[in-house]
């Protein structure tokens, strides 16, 4: 059941989520294990989707109701784009989805199927990017050749670094002068950072 997987990924138990909905602690466990109720009420589905950061469609909503027509559902990846030593991963795993305004994507020149969301971890890209910021990335291959901040894989570590094209290819650097040197290794460009979101501090 998708709900159990997303709850586990968020660090929340089904009983805690049941209490958040104002239900008894076994409510969602019964829904997942026994199919009771058969379908979550709209209010509860919306609250869970907002809390877990997923589209309502993964919790049983009709696809047409999951994302308004003015928005696009963009995958949220479970890996963090480390602005530090790097997050070791085997692959990018979809954690959920975010609704992004279609007009914003058009203004940024990003095709809906090339957009993805990642959370920044670490301090090496301060003051431009802080630990905990969410970034919207363009994963289209042509974007890899452009100067700017990119999410990259160096060997098996995923990082966010500034890319500067040069005669021999490109150079990766950190924005924070106090950050350690960017490690050497095989580099793959995963996407160019085109937008960032930051919680109020």
């Amino acid at each position: 059941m998708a709900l159990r997987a997303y709850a586990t990924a968020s660090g929340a138990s089904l009983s805690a989520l049941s209490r958040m909905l104002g239900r008894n602690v076994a409510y969602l466990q019964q829904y997942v294990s026994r199919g009771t109720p058969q379908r979550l009420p709209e209010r509860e589905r919306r609250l869970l989707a907002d809390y877990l950061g997923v589209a309502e469609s993964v919790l049983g909503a009709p696809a047409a109701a999951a994302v308004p027509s003015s928005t696009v559902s963009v995958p949220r990846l479970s890996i963090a784009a480390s602005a530090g030593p790097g997050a070791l991963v085997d692959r990018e795993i979809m954690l959920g989805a975010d609704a992004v305004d279609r007009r914003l994507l058009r203004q940024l020149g990003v095709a809906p199927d090339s957009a993805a969301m990642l959370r920044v971890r670490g301090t090496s890209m301060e003051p431009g990017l802080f630990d905990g910021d969410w970034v919207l990335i363009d994963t289209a291959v042509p974007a890899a050749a452009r100067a700017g901040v990119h999410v990259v894989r160096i060997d098996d570590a995923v990082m966010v670094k500034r890319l500067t094209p040069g005669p021999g290819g490109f150079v990766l650097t950190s924005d924070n002068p106090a950050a350690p040197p960017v490690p050497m290794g095989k580099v793959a460009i995963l996407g160019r950072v085109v937008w960032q979101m930051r919680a109020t501090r």
Side-chain angles (χ1 to χ4, degrees), residues 147-148 150 161-174 182 187 189:
H150 286 67
K161 297 297 172 190
R162 184 169 299 281
L163 182 152
T164 305
F170 55 82
V171 177
L172 296 175
T173 57
S174 300
V182 178
V187 177
I189 307 296

Side-chain angles (χ1 to χ4, degrees), residues 16-69:
L17 292 176
S18 296
R19 288 195 296 271
M20 179 188 75
L21 299 176
R23 297 281 192 168
N24 69 68
V25 294
Y27 176 68
L28 289 178
Q29 182 63 47
Q30 292 174 346
Y31 168 70
V32 169
S33 302
R34 303 178 186 175
T36 305
Q38 291 185 341
R39 186 180 297 274
L40 291 172
E42 182 179 352
R43 171 190 166 276
E44 295 177 359
R45 191 178 61 225
R46 184 172 61 252
L47 286 172
L48 287 170
D50 288 345
Y51 179 84
L52 298 173
V54 301
E56 286 187 50
S57 59
V58 303
L59 301 179
V67 180
S69 59

Side-chain angles (χ1 to χ4, degrees), residues 126-148:
E126 291 182 0
L129 294 174
F130 284 88
D131 182 67
D133 286 355
W134 281 95
V135 292
L136 177 66
I137 67 171
D138 182 0
T139 64
V141 174
R146 298 176 59 178

Side-chain angles (χ1 to χ4, degrees), residues 61-201:
V67 180
S69 59
S70 63
T71 64
V72 175
S73 182
V74 171
R76 178 188 293 178
L77 304 183
S78 65
I79 61 170
S82 178
L88 296 176
V89 296
D90 293 323
R91 64 189 184 277
E92 294 76 46
I93 304 171
M94 183 172 169
L95 178 63
D98 288 295
V100 176
D101 194 296
R102 290 180 183 272
R103 292 172 298 178
L104 175 62
L105 291 181
R106 285 197 297 268
Q107 291 170 2
L108 297 171
V110 180
D113 59 357
S114 297
M117 299 284 293
L118 287 170
R119 185 185 289 274
V120 174
R121 294 298 187 196
T123 61
S124 73
M125 293 303 289
E126 291 182 0
L129 294 174
F130 284 88
D131 182 67
D133 286 355
W134 281 95
V135 292
L136 177 66
I137 67 171
D138 182 0
T139 64
V141 174
R146 298 176 59 178
V149 178
H150 286 67
V151 176
V152 301
R153 188 196 304 278
I154 302 178
D155 290 334
D156 291 324
V158 175
M159 304 181 180
V160 56
K161 297 297 172 190
R162 184 169 299 281
L163 182 152
T164 305
F170 55 82
V171 177
L172 296 175
T173 57
S174 300
D175 284 356
N176 186 343
V182 178
M184 303 293 291
K186 183 179 178 182
V187 177
I189 307 296
L190 301 183
R192 182 172 59 90
V193 175
V194 295
W195 192 257
Q196 71 184 83
M197 284 143 281
R198 179 174 302 162
T200 302
R201 295 175 182 268

